[in-house]
Amino acid sequence: MSETLLLLFLALLLDRLVGDPDRLWRRVPHPVVLFGRAIGLMDKLFNGKRLSADTKRFNGAAGIAVLLAASVFLGFFVHRLLAPLGIVGALVEIVIVAIFLAQKSLYDHVRAVSSGLKRGGLAGGRQAVSMIVGRDPATLDEPAICRAGIESLAENFSDGVVAPALWYALFGLPGLFAYKMLNTADSMIGHKNAKYLDFGRASARLDDLANWPAARLSILFLAAGAWAVKGRAAARHAIGTALRDAGLHRSPNSGWPEAAMAGALGIGLAGPRIYGGTRVDEPMMNASGRTVATVADIDLSLRIFSAACAALAAAVLLAALLAALL
């Protein structure tokens, strides 16, 4: 256990410093892309338009079960392959784990929204935010762009950083690979539309379950980040807002980190949004906060995010040291 936690700590450091080098992934496919191809093939073969709802639900559940089993097997195989290689194998595993974390890439994408607004105005902000959110960018004014960037940062801190770290800490590479397969499946086929409502139901439900602990843990790290950046009152408000308002979000998990970030910044997040031309009416989390988000709020959220990532790494290192002593 202590070795796994130490490898995770080093992977967190590597991901924070290096992230996903674009030059590499332009030459070879990212592992998540390969996961996506497997999910796409499953979709193509077993989600026919003429199938009944019951058949689609069965096919979707059986398909994701097979893919999860395959990803667990792959994780065991890779770990067994690397274990006899000593420090070289450990270094390779650190790189593999870092590939599945999203600290630097997430930071860079949200920082691009801030930079886009500063340099290119509304058009620049819309272009940058369209890379990370599904809502219609043409409907967003500057405060809405800022909210969208901050919400994406908070939500993806949970399922792009805390959750993969947690599943690796608990179950090693098999847990990490299975989580990323499931999370990728949810993003591809977990939508509540005519095509995927039945076929993607199992993937969406399992993804909710897999993200349940990380979403709640994430508010503690965000509160720690808020304390480091803004002080104890901001940390207290982050936790209080999450406990009070997380349930206002349509997702059973996304509301926790988003509400915590809203409380830390003192602004309202979520609320009505437009996805694919459809308006989603949702209450505002931290409705008593400021109603107009600014570029300065994005920059502050990035500082809180960075401090939260540092708190996560520190917690992992502490756990590794305690596990080594016990």
Side-chain angles (χ1 to χ4, degrees), residues 143-159:
I145 291 171
C146 294
R147 288 197 305 273
I150 294 167
E151 289 163 14
S152 179
L153 181 69
E155 177 185 355
N156 285 289
F157 172 66
S158 175
D159 60 20

Side-chain angles (χ1 to χ4, degrees), residues 5 8 12 103 153-154 156-159 161-167 169 213-231 234-236 238-239 242 256-258 260-261 264 300-319:
L5 291 170
L8 175 57
L12 286 164
Q103 295 169 103
L153 181 69
N156 285 289
F157 172 66
S158 175
D159 60 20
V161 181
V162 179
L166 175 64
W167 286 105
R216 285 135 187 93
L217 276 175
S218 67
I219 71 172
L220 300 178
F221 296 118
L222 288 170
W227 192 328
V229 173
K230 292 186 65 181
R236 187 168 58 247
I239 293 176
W256 291 87
E258 288 186 29
M261 185 66 84
L300 182 56
S301 73
L302 287 168
R303 291 172 58 200
I304 292 173
F305 168 80
S306 294
C309 290
L312 171 61
V316 169
L317 180 58
L318 178 60

Side-chain angles (χ1 to χ4, degrees), residues 226-312:
W227 192 328
V229 173
K230 292 186 65 181
R232 183 169 59 182
R236 187 168 58 247
H237 198 32
I239 293 176
T241 304
L243 293 175
R244 185 189 69 225
D245 291 351
L248 299 177
H249 201 285
R250 60 176 177 165
S251 164
N253 295 316
S254 298
W256 291 87
E258 288 186 29
M261 185 66 84
L265 296 173
I267 62 174
L269 291 179
R273 303 183 294 285
I274 297 176
Y275 293 92
T278 302
R279 180 183 174 90
V280 175
D281 286 310
E282 206 169 87
M284 187 77 72
M285 294 184 295
N286 196 36
S288 61
R290 286 183 291 110
T291 57
V292 177
T294 66
V295 176
D297 290 314
I298 298 180
D299 295 339
L300 182 56
S301 73
L302 287 168
R303 291 172 58 200
I304 292 173
F305 168 80
S306 294
C309 290
L312 171 61

